[in-house]
Amino acid sequence: MIILGCEHTAHTFGIGIVTDKGKILANVKDSYTSKDVGMIPHEIAEHHEKCSERILKEALKSAKVEWKDIDFIAYSAGPGLDPVLWRGYTIVSKWAKENQKKLVGVNHCCSHLSIGKLWNKMKDPVYLYVSGVNTQVIVQESKKGQKKEGKYHVLGETLDIGLGNMLDKFGRILDLGFPAGPRMEQLAKKGKYIELPYIVKGMDVSFSGLLTKAQQLFERTQASKEDLCFSLQETAFAMCAEVAERALAHSGKKELLLVGGVGANKRFCEMLNLMCKERGATFYQVPMDLAGDQGAMIAWEGYLRRDSYGDMEVNPHWRADEV
Ligand code: ATP
Ligand code: FE2
């Protein structure tokens, strides 16, 4: 079986082609960028429309397949930006009609989890999903003899903003440009620790108090940029590590998989790796080319959920635990 997957929830339009054995035959993408105005949904939708036929051609060519070889089309049904999702849906619907292919709508967040699990050949990890918008600790149901993909359960999450968004907001205050995560990581290397609010409530975390305190210290010139970046990272990452550790303890699972853009941070990985080692668990990451948004993850998730989902138009607020 060969599946074509299309990603179009945010600024990336991507097409991936994978086999039912999880072999990635092609993974081509193009991302919308803007210098200073951020993400404008209708402009992103235009971008996707403009590059769609080219990306499709490149993907088919790179995979050395034709439409006749494709069994069905998986597409990102959500969560995402409403006008962008609809434009993507219109594009894949057209291809499905022209080539008489079935459509399978998939959840973008679950796709990040399943491509990480596939690549690392993992059995049953605890997932720590930390992107701009999302900060969640997730496990998947797995029962003996279970044939279908198990349901995801969110054990803990942010009560306010996502970790990446918090870093980006503080980066804007420091005038670091967007996204701020990578610049902050560099500045943090020269910083020392100042105490900031550490907020973990049960399995959930909260970042807004931390952000407000760091902002106050910066505006009152009571701390340097470097110290604030270092302390913000240390505090927020330790909060995430704490709930991830508790999830490992409660579930009895032995593997932790980090997914999402904040996973690029080396210090964060170092902390999680240490925590896992101390409790006899193993820490895993996703390689750069599969960590960001792309079509291969959509194709693979479509394969896993092919019997449960079909053409479902779009669902802009679809949570991983509703799948
Ligand atoms: P999704 O829709 O899948 O949740 P997203 O678009 O919100 O994804 P990602 O692309 O997964 O987010 O991640 C982007 C975030 O990762 C940004 O907030 C960015 O600042 C952060 N980031 C990227 N590199 C680093 C880094 N080295 N350190 C810390 N944060 C980083
Ligand atoms: Fe994503």
Side-chain angles (χ1 to χ4, degrees), residues 48 62 67 108 117 129 156 188 191 233 314:
H48 291 358
S62 156
W67 269 117
H108 174 94
K117 181 178 164 189
Y129 178 25
Q233 280 196 178
V314 308

Side-chain angles (χ1 to χ4, degrees), residues 9-11 39 79 108-109 112 129-134 163-168 178-185 233 237 259-266 291-293 297:
T9 54
H11 58 293
M39 301 248 267
H108 174 94
C109 302
H112 275 296
Y129 178 25
V130 277
S131 60
V133 191
N134 291 290
L163 176 52
N165 280 356
M166 189 272 284
L167 297 174
D168 293 334
F178 176 87
R183 282 285 321 276
M184 286 183 69
E185 182 174 11
Q233 280 196 178
F237 295 169
V259 300
V262 187
N265 190 293
K266 294 216 166 56
D293 292 353
M297 68 178 193

Side-chain angles (χ1 to χ4, degrees), residues 164-182:
N165 280 356
M166 189 272 284
L167 297 174
D168 293 334
K169 279 187 184 191
F170 191 61
R172 187 170 294 166
I173 295 164
L174 301 189
D175 206 16
L176 297 182
F178 176 87

Side-chain angles (χ1 to χ4, degrees), residues 204-216:
D204 296 324
V205 292
S206 157
F207 296 118
S208 60
L210 180 59
L211 176 64
T212 308
K213 182 69 187 177
Q215 180 172 7
Q216 281 171 356

Side-chain angles (χ1 to χ4, degrees), residues 254-268:
K254 291 278 172 225
E255 304 169 319
L256 177 69
L257 175 60
L258 177 64
V259 300
V262 187
N265 190 293
K266 294 216 166 56
R267 173 63 186 145
F268 194 20

Side-chain angles (χ1 to χ4, degrees), residues 111-143:
S111 310
H112 275 296
L113 308 183
S114 39
I115 199 77
K117 181 178 164 189
L118 170 77
W119 195 84
N120 284 300
K121 300 188 176 66
M122 304 177 83
K123 282 204 186 77
D124 187 20
V126 166
Y127 299 90
L128 179 58
Y129 178 25
V130 277
S131 60
V133 191
N134 291 290
T135 302
Q136 294 179 325
V137 182
I138 301 173
V139 291
Q140 189 173 22
E141 265 177 24
S142 63
K143 296 189 187 99

